Amino acid sequence: MSAVVSSAPDAVVRDLRTSTVSLPLARPLQLGAMTVTRREYAAVRVSDGEGSTGIAYGLTREAPMAELVERLIAPHVVGGELDVPALWERALRGSAIVGRVGLVRRAIGLVDIALWDLLGRRTGRPVWQLVGADDSPRKAMLVAAYPTPGRNVHDLVDEVVSQAEDGWPLVKLSRSPDTALMRELLSTLRRELPATTGIVVDVGFGWPDADTAIAEVAEWGDPELAWLEDPLLPEDVTGCARLRSATGLRVGVGDEVTDPGVLKALADGGAIDLARLDVVAIGGITPALEFAAWAEDRGLPVSCHISPETSVHLGHGVGVETFGRGPGGNPYDPSPQLVVGGPVFADGTARPTAEPGLGFSFAPGTFDFGRNA
């Protein structure tokens, strides 16, 4: 791995702006205890005042992300030299009295990603090159289906199998509380999918404790899963470890986790087989790189949560996740219609382009940042 380039001493961050857009879903989704009827995204744009800009975006989860960025993070970034790790530290320290983890950490993450994009565009280099990675294909996972109310097993199997034909090594579906449906769905998918295609079930922190989880998994029969995702609250290290041991299933945890210490505690406590890493939530590319290096030293696989335009730059050893990105869109996550460019998906892999920065732009008419910087 080549040396990391994280600053441009001749550049200053002159401007930071935010924008928010909300897109309705075709049908409500049940994610654990949450019902999702729309997807709201917050975007950040930073500028050096000399023609170069950097952008980032992410789900708000209905939180006031734009306001958090503007009130708590922007004052510590605008006017600073374009040294991304130094600006990350300034933002963290400057908001520490109310932040460090949680929503403020997500706000820092959006700004950090935009700063890396700005650095790449100003230097004419892709972010993967700045962070010392290469452009080899990354293993990718497709979020394939949600068992929403009214859908039967036949419909769900057809949806997953038709998408798996494109060569995805991993397909993910969310857990339904209907155990009979899950039993039939998982057994049918295992018969219909190629043996080389792994199945991931996302519980979305939906079980209250290990006993409930163990009992429900037993009702699924003997599922063959690549891993069981986010079964309990991520802080429940003991519960996740017990579930992992009792079921024999591989466990992955980490979506929406904002504290790297939680992921490390899960790993050290024998609670996970792989870490799920949300680049925005964990605080941006800067801390994501640090955690990925920590995990690599321990032989712990890392799989990223959504935002493939960003996660594809972390390195070939870090898994990438995406929703369907075909011209017809998908009913679960309309974010692909917000962007132009980004990674190239083929044969179940994601590959970053050689374009400067993160390699994508916002589609016209999506995010409004006001007057040009």
Side-chain angles (χ1 to χ4, degrees):
M1 181 176 285
S2 58
V4 174
V5 178
S6 59
S7 65
D10 58 333
V12 174
V13 181
R14 298 294 184 189
D15 188 72
L16 187 157
R17 294 167 190 240
T18 64
S19 180
T20 303
V21 66
S22 177
L23 301 175
L25 296 180
R27 53 179 176 258
L29 303 179
Q30 193 68 37
L31 303 179
M34 296 191 311
T35 300
V36 180
T37 60
R38 67 175 189 168
R39 298 286 197 180
E40 185 181 69
Y41 307 88
V44 170
R45 187 184 72 179
V46 293
S47 171
D48 62 1
E50 299 176 13
S52 294
T53 59
I55 57 173
Y57 79 106
L59 286 167
T60 69
R61 299 299 194 194
E62 302 302 318
M65 295 309 304
E67 185 175 4
L68 289 169
V69 168
E70 291 169 359
R71 294 183 64 173
L72 297 177
I73 312 305
H76 306 292
V77 171
V78 175
E81 180 183 293
L82 185 54
D83 181 328
V84 184
L87 290 176
W88 188 92
E89 186 71 16
R90 281 176 58 177
L92 181 75
R93 298 286 177 178
S95 61
I97 196 168
V98 292
R100 301 185 307 284
V101 296
L103 293 177
V104 178
R105 184 91 171 197
R106 297 176 71 100
I108 295 173
L110 282 171
V111 175
D112 178 83
I113 293 166
L115 290 171
W116 278 104
D117 188 37
L118 172 60
L119 178 62
R121 292 174 190 244
R122 183 176 173 94
T123 59
R125 302 171 68 179
V127 169
W128 59 261
Q129 192 177 89
L130 293 176
V131 303
D134 60 32
D135 63 346
S136 59
R138 282 71 157 136
K139 187 176 182 180
M141 175 168 68
L142 177 72
V143 183
Y146 283 81
T148 49
R151 306 192 70 196
N152 59 38
V153 169
H154 177 76
D155 290 340
L156 292 165
V157 169
D158 282 351
E159 181 176 16
V160 175
V161 171
S162 65
Q163 296 180 90
E165 291 174 351
D166 292 333
W168 300 96
L170 292 166
V171 292
K172 185 167 84 172
L173 55 144
S174 66
R175 163 241 180 196
S176 167
D178 184 337
T179 56
L181 181 148
M182 287 298 295
R183 184 184 184 103
E184 183 181 358
L185 175 59
L186 292 174
S187 62
T188 305
L189 282 175
R190 193 62 285 163
R191 292 195 304 269
E192 298 291 332
L193 289 171
T196 54
T197 303
I199 301 170
V200 175
V201 174
D202 183 4
V203 184
F205 314 125
W207 287 319
D209 52 55
D211 287 339
T212 304
I214 292 166
E216 187 167 319
V217 168
E219 294 189 48
W220 294 355
D222 187 18
E224 297 179 37
L225 302 181
W227 70 78
L228 184 66
E229 186 166 294
D230 292 327
L232 308 172
L233 291 178
E235 294 78 14
D236 189 355
V237 175
T238 301
C240 287
R242 182 162 168 259
L243 171 61
R244 178 174 175 258
S245 175
T247 64
L249 293 175
R250 300 178 77 237
V251 172
V253 177
D255 292 13
E256 314 295 348
V257 168
T258 62
D259 183 358
V262 170
L263 297 178
K264 292 178 180 180
L266 285 161
D268 291 341
I272 55 175
D273 297 275
L274 76 155
R276 290 280 292 164
L277 185 65
D278 186 314
V279 182
V280 172
I282 210 69
I285 291 173
T286 300
L289 290 170
E290 181 180 337
F291 178 80
W294 182 91
E296 184 179 16
D297 287 344
R298 287 153 182 79
L300 180 70
V302 174
S303 167
C304 281
H305 175 227
I306 58 175
S307 304
E309 296 89 358
T310 300
S311 60
V312 75
H313 290 272
L314 298 183
H316 74 274
V318 176
V320 174
E321 177 181 71
T322 185
F323 287 82
R325 306 180 79 82
N330 71 77
Y332 309 123
D333 178 23
S335 66
Q337 67 186 265
L338 299 174
V339 302
V340 177
V344 176
F345 290 92
D347 302 322
T349 66
R351 190 167 193 163
T353 71
E355 294 296 316
L358 294 173
F360 78 95
S361 58
F362 291 134
T366 52
F367 294 105
D368 180 8
F369 294 102
R371 65 177 177 80
N372 292 329

